[in-house]
Amino acid sequence: MSETVDDIWEPHAPAGAGGLRPLGAEGPALRANGTASVRTLADGVVEVSTEGPGEVRIEWRVPCVDATALWTPEPRGTGWLPAAWSAPRRTRLAAGAPIAALVGTGDVALCAFAAERPDVLAGAGVVEETGEFRFWAQAEGRLTVRIDTSGRHFARCLADLTAWWGSGYTVDIPEAARLPAYSTWYAMHQDVTPERIETQAALGKELGLDVIIVDDGWMTADRTRGYAHCGDWEPVSLPDTAEHVRRVHDLGVRYLLWYALPFIGKDSAAHRKLGRHALADEPKLGAIVADPRYPEVRDFLTDRLARAVEEWGMDGLKVDFVDRFAHADPPAAGPEADCADLDEGVERLLAAIRRRVTAAQPEAMVEYRQPYVSPGLWPYVTMIRATDCPLGGQENRQRTVDLRLAAGPVPVHSDMLMWHPAEPPEQIACHLIDVLFAVPQISVDLAALSTGQREALAFWLGVFRTHLDTLQRGELRPARPDLGYPVVTALGAETVAVARYAALPVDASGAGWRTLLVANADADPDVRLVGGSGTAVATVQDARGRTVRRGEVELERAEPIPVPRGGLLTLRRA
């Protein structure tokens, strides 16, 4: 798009129609410019398309009745109702995803929508003059949006919208991308050495961590946390790299290596080679953002990253800072560029990297991170991680749940879990329960764990692995996005998993489950089951996995079952 957000955003202007023409009489009040059409797909679900020269725009409104939150997949994007004059969201291939939902009482979607293309400017908010909720989306040349006002659970509506996205992509996910991982970042920061990495890999394997992700510091002896040394990507801190990787593999652990993909540091030899192809200057970081519209840039970066898998035998890449490519107003491409569109250059670069690493290792993994969560990136990624929130359990919970609702078939990873050395086992268990419906990443010194901490970590990692299908592939039903998801449920074939983060009752209804898991992350131990029938055998384990109670319970009775904070209630019926 040629315009910036500031060009279009008029915070004091009334929420008028802006010259758009009405479309049909059914469903939400729709307006569009260009050559527009509306197609009904199901009860309460329509697809609106328009095209024309220049910017095209679709706008629609619904009554803002019983509304509680606007859901979006951005960090801190859920839990309030913006005004119609709030700044719009601009999504691109490398930043954000064009999807949102107005959620009402009972967690129903009053209106959910997604756009077919990744590069969209979208606004949403309450119209002060009418009490309606206005949505609008615009793009260059053509635009298709799906609008769902069916009134179903908002997660069901979002699942259908992401399935619509997924029908256009081939996504290949190795099973290892769903296994708990160890990350060096919070535990070591830049102080990585082969000995420290191998020690943590060995200890992690014993606890149930099958992947290790080595972060910043491996490519430089500098420890000042800047990016001036990025770009050459020589293993300064990992001598005899291939042999080091082989030793990690001998432990039965897979190995991923971190790259700050866009950055060419000003102290690197690569800067002398590619500095003229700068998309942006980042003086505070000591680097430039390289412009992927140039084949020379793409070839260089692809060779640098693929080397980890092709030469050193690693199992994949942690590709960081891709969102730094997402400039709304990039400089004009020079004569050496082979594409004028920035998103096209980004996609060519990411496709080349994925192609090279999977040619060398068919099960290679590639990690991306919030906020670059666009479905256009799905073919090039095997997992998406929540953005940094150290020791922020509620943030980690909300971000991983939000990502699950927008990531389609791609596994979602938590931000790395870290804690103070004096953290009690119960709180460590709560950190893990906060990310129960994602893949946990751990980043502490495993050699320094107390016996209780180690037992809590091992127990809950075992829960993640044993119930992986339900927790990661089950139908996700988070409750109350306006309150940060105080209860989250995953529905599997015969197992239902519930995480309880507040003193709220747990729904035990449904004839399909044979196993009901209730993870208690609240200080109130009294778990109240509602809606159940018949009897079940209840097993209660504390945060360290020790059985503290077992016996038969009648599900119809309202008597609470005591479950310690950080503990697990398992109900099994014949």
Side-chain angles (χ1 to χ4, degrees), residues 516-563:
L516 174 63
L517 307 172
V518 182
N520 180 38
D522 190 73
D524 174 19
D526 291 336
V527 173
R528 296 166 179 83
L529 304 174
V530 296
S533 61
T535 62
V537 175
T539 301
V540 177
Q541 294 165 281
D542 67 9
R544 298 162 65 173
R546 299 173 300 189
T547 299
V548 296
R549 192 172 294 103
R550 179 180 285 121
E552 189 172 83
V553 297
E554 295 182 14
L555 297 175
E556 293 95 335
R557 299 183 66 176
E559 294 181 5
I561 301 174
V563 181

Side-chain angles (χ1 to χ4, degrees), residues 92 279 291 293-294 298 330-334 337-345 348:
R92 301 191 66 101
L279 181 66
D291 193 333
R293 293 175 294 181
Y294 294 87
R298 297 197 304 272
D338 62 354
C339 56
D341 183 74
L342 180 57
D343 281 358
E344 182 181 351
R348 289 188 184 190

Side-chain angles (χ1 to χ4, degrees), residues 9-32:
W9 179 39
E10 299 179 44
H12 303 297
L20 302 176
R21 60 187 180 83
L23 294 172
E26 296 183 4
L30 286 164
R31 295 177 180 271

Side-chain angles (χ1 to χ4, degrees), residues 72-108:
T72 70
E74 277 79 17
R76 294 188 176 273
T78 299
W80 66 301
L81 294 178
W85 43 260
S86 299
R89 296 187 301 132
R90 183 182 292 281
T91 63
R92 301 191 66 101
L93 182 72
I99 188 169
L102 178 64
V103 183
T105 301
D107 298 320
V108 302

